[in-house]
Amino acid sequence: MKLADLQKIAEQEIDFQRAYKYRINVCCSSGCMPLGALKVLEAFEKAVKELGVEKECKVARTGCPGTCSVGPVVVVEPGDYIYQQVTPEKAREIVRDHVVLGLPAKDLLYSNEQFFKKQKRLVLRNAGKIDPYRIQDYIAMGGYSALVKCLATMTSQGVIYEVMTSGLRGRGGAGFPTGQKWSLVARAHGSPKYIVANLDEGDPGVFANRTLAEADPHAILEGMAIAAFAVGAEKGYIYIRAEYPLAIQTLQRAITQARSMSLLGNNILETSFKFDVELRLGAGAFVAGEETAILASVEGRRAMPRPRPPYPANSGLWGKPTLIQNVETLANIPLIILNGGLWFSKIGTPKCTGTKCFSLTGKVNNPGLIEVPMGITLREVVFDIGGGVQKGRKFKAVLVGGPSGGCIPETHIDQPIDYESLKNLGAIMGSGGIVVLDDQSCMVDTAKFFTEFCVDESCGKCTPCRVGLTKIKGIYDAITQGNGKMEDITVLEKTSVYIRDASLCGLGQTAPNPVLTTLRYFKDEYIQHIKDKKCSAGRCFKTKEGE
């Protein structure tokens, strides 16, 4: 297929879709499938035939639009009408009222308009709107036109310049400038060069990357191809945890379709550019999300981090220059190329441009997957988008950054969400987890929970992480069982600082964050546990019988 042929396909697909007056998008993501989404899809297909509107109403499967708590979700276009908790029985009612009579079924509509009001959907622009199993849907939305632009009118240096101008920073946690990383790999000596897309996502309760892969896999592939063109790579790997079967299936189908249309492989779009992608399945280890551990796993070895330097940009897969990027980072690339780096740089804040996807969970009324501009405040996320705390309870804290994140109290809830602000508060951006805690949450127990998680997931390679976290866990066991001592608070803090400063990899270095932030903001709860043998939340000091 030639460069010009892609435009023809896009035009044909747009004409094909315009022939339908309505489009019913049924979410068939990992969140909705267990709730019967496939039966709902079948019910809609049956209803449009029985009611005689199959020629004016297209029924399609899609990914998740983000309203994860009210599935199965159905989006009817035009107008983006969202129906919640749809059953096969309700499908006929929606088709009858919305399509046949032209009157949306108001009683079934998702009524929380606030959920989307302050979001800005760039990475999730196609989620819930296209069929991830059809490459034509992605092309009709402008997909792969950024790759065409690169191959037809840009140099590799020009691509890197736009990415650097955009100010895009890595969305995997550390926030390293993306353009700078690309420049390092492009200048590195040695061949072949590799691209690795990180889709491990080991944080509990985080599902942004999985949702992206299930909803818009070609955005990841196109971003990888553009990155490969920029740095001179010919081979790419998507490192994805094996626990994501639907995402794996969706990505593999997308790779096959892209190859069939000459968008991956040799002589892409009849040019000299060649690049192919392969999936690599991880075994579910939390540490496998660390970039050097990913390299070891892709090579077939145990996922364990190694000291740096050398950095992957110079010595990555099999000792060759390797670019490692989170899939959310890569999904931004086509938009940057199409609209320009300057356009992207005006979104968010000057130091943290663009948007960030977050899995919003915990004691919040409207949990789900959100995408917000950098610089939005925690209050806006929790109360405006999330709808506040459940059951009229009082907000207590928000954990940002997963098990390596920090617990931020109400006194700092008006802080903007960006890399520097979160770091100053003792938290991290991480892979995008926000957990809301109410006044029934015990902060000592919360820190203990995430410490236990990190103990279980530690690779054990370095002593500070392996021994230090185990020591901290033992102290938490004593405190929550009524055997704590006041000096334990000092030991917790000193040990956490040691782990943070001396651990080998970023995961060990950030593992003490829940401990340090709860000590920083909620020390009175520790004192209450130790002196009064009391847990105001009623979660600690339980006997073996659970009394």
Side-chain angles (χ1 to χ4, degrees):
M1 186 172 68
K2 298 178 181 179
L3 292 171
D5 293 336
L6 196 67
Q7 182 62 33
K8 293 180 181 178
I9 293 174
E11 292 172 355
Q12 291 172 356
E13 183 63 23
I14 291 172
D15 290 339
F16 169 73
Q17 295 190 15
R18 283 177 177 170
Y20 293 99
K21 185 178 179 180
Y22 295 96
R23 179 182 170 103
I24 298 176
N25 297 317
V26 181
C27 173
C28 294
S29 67
S30 293
C32 286
M33 290 274 270
L35 301 174
L38 290 181
K39 291 184 179 179
V40 172
L41 178 66
E42 293 174 1
F44 272 107
E45 292 172 339
K46 181 179 179 181
V48 296
K49 290 180 180 179
E50 290 181 349
L51 294 173
V53 291
E54 67 269 27
K55 291 184 179 181
E56 59 180 298
C57 183
K58 170 70 174 176
V59 178
R61 66 180 296 157
T62 64
C64 177
T67 51
C68 311
S69 64
V70 292
V73 175
V74 173
V75 181
V76 179
E77 297 178 302
D80 289 341
Y81 290 90
I82 301 177
Y83 291 96
Q84 64 180 12
Q85 297 175 330
V86 180
T87 63
E89 294 73 26
K90 293 177 181 178
R92 182 181 179 87
E93 180 182 347
I94 293 172
V95 174
R96 182 197 65 203
D97 291 358
H98 199 131
V99 177
V100 177
L101 301 178
L103 300 171
K106 293 183 178 180
D107 293 342
L108 305 178
L109 285 172
Y110 180 66
S111 59
N112 181 24
E113 297 178 358
Q114 290 294 112
F115 185 77
F116 292 100
K117 194 171 183 180
K118 290 194 174 182
Q119 291 194 49
K120 188 172 183 65
R121 297 168 76 84
L122 299 181
V123 171
L124 301 176
R125 58 193 177 274
N126 293 325
K129 291 181 174 293
I130 67 170
D131 185 345
Y133 282 10
R134 295 187 74 247
I135 190 173
Q136 294 89 344
D137 271 26
Y138 180 70
I139 292 173
M141 297 294 282
Y144 288 108
S145 55
L147 177 61
V148 170
K149 181 178 179 180
C150 290
L151 297 178
T153 67
M154 300 181 73
T155 64
S156 58
Q157 294 86 353
V159 173
I160 294 175
Y161 173 81
E162 291 297 339
V163 176
M164 294 188 76
T165 301
S166 74
L168 177 66
R169 297 170 67 170
R171 297 302 193 243
F176 191 82
T178 303
Q180 185 177 339
K181 182 183 283 191
W182 287 25
S183 181
L184 291 172
V185 178
R187 296 199 309 264
H189 297 289
S191 62
K193 295 180 179 180
Y194 298 99
I195 307 286
V196 176
N198 181 2
L199 213 163
D200 181 67
E201 199 171 42
D203 291 11
V206 175
F207 45 88
N209 291 347
R210 183 198 72 195
T211 300
L212 173 61
E214 293 175 357
D216 199 8
H218 289 284
I220 298 172
L221 297 181
E222 185 177 13
M224 291 182 72
I226 293 170
F229 174 79
V231 305
E234 297 181 356
K235 181 71 175 182
Y237 295 92
I238 300 176
Y239 186 76
I240 180 171
R241 55 181 36 234
E243 295 91 335
Y244 284 176
L246 182 58
I248 292 169
Q249 175 185 326
T250 306
L251 281 166
Q252 190 57 65
R253 183 186 290 245
I255 291 170
T256 300
Q257 290 179 340
R259 285 176 183 156
S260 69
M261 298 185 70
S262 188
L263 294 166
L264 288 177
N266 295 322
N267 304 117
I268 291 177
L269 297 174
E270 295 194 353
T271 68
S272 60
F273 175 55
K274 60 180 180 178
F275 176 69
D276 207 356
V277 175
E278 186 178 327
L279 296 184
R280 279 285 194 271
L281 307 190
F286 179 60
V287 74
E290 197 275 340
E291 64 176 17
T292 60
I294 288 176
L295 297 177
S297 186
V298 172
E299 291 174 351
R301 298 180 287 114
R302 181 182 174 187
M304 295 184 75
R306 61 165 173 79
R308 296 172 297 175
Y311 290 94
N314 293 306
S315 180
L317 282 178
W318 298 287
K320 301 299 181 181
T322 303
L323 174 66
I324 305 177
Q325 297 278 202
N326 176 268
V327 292
E328 183 182 339
T329 311
L330 292 165
N332 279 290
I333 298 301
L335 289 177
I336 291 172
I337 296 304
L338 284 177
N339 299 290
L342 186 61
W343 164 82
F344 190 87
S345 70
K346 295 179 181 178
I347 303 170
T349 70
K351 290 186 177 180
C352 293
T353 60
T355 61
K356 180 73 182 80
C357 297
F358 287 101
S359 305
L360 180 61
T361 60
K363 304 296 185 177
V364 64
N365 281 313
N366 304 315
L369 179 61
I370 66 174
E371 183 178 359
V372 293
M374 290 287 195
I376 193 172
T377 66
L378 288 167
R379 181 183 298 277
E380 290 174 288
V381 169
V382 174
F383 288 95
D384 293 343
I385 297 174
V389 181
Q390 292 176 348
K391 300 177 182 177
R393 302 300 308 185
K394 185 180 178 182
F395 173 84
K396 187 171 188 177
V398 59
L399 176 76
V400 183
S404 300
C407 294
I408 301 172
E410 187 174 15
T411 52
H412 294 292
I413 197 173
D414 291 308
Q415 288 291 319
I417 297 177
D418 59 56
Y419 293 98
E420 283 69 33
S421 295
L422 291 177
K423 184 177 180 180
N424 291 336
L425 293 172
I428 59 173
M429 190 79 72
S431 57
I434 294 181
V435 182
V436 178
L437 306 174
D438 66 12
D439 55 353
Q440 291 183 317
S441 301
C442 171
M443 305 313 296
V444 177
D445 183 66
T446 298
K448 176 188 175 184
F449 171 82
F450 287 110
T451 298
E452 290 174 339
F453 175 85
C454 291
V455 167
D456 291 340
E457 294 293 335
S458 173
C459 73
K461 185 172 184 177
C462 70
T463 303
C465 182
R466 181 182 70 249
V467 177
L469 288 175
T470 302
K471 182 177 181 179
I472 288 178
K473 178 183 178 299
I475 294 174
Y476 275 117
D477 287 340
I479 293 176
T480 56
Q481 292 169 11
N483 300 315
K485 298 171 290 187
M486 284 303 295
E487 52 264 35
D488 286 341
I489 295 178
T490 302
V491 176
L492 280 175
E493 188 167 7
K494 287 185 176 180
T495 305
S496 295
V497 171
Y498 171 68
I499 297 170
R500 180 193 67 192
D501 295 342
S503 290
L504 173 63
C505 78
L507 298 184
Q509 292 160 12
T510 56
N513 282 344
V515 181
L516 290 171
T517 51
T518 52
L519 285 171
R520 178 177 173 182
Y521 301 119
F522 301 97
K523 186 174 285 187
D524 58 322
E525 291 196 27
Y526 284 85
I527 295 173
Q528 183 187 58
H529 278 67
I530 295 171
K531 282 191 171 183
D532 302 334
K533 312 299 180 186
K534 179 181 177 183
C535 174
S536 58
R539 295 187 174 274
C540 305
F541 310 112
K542 296 180 180 179
T543 66
K544 292 182 180 179
E545 289 75 24
E547 299 176 347

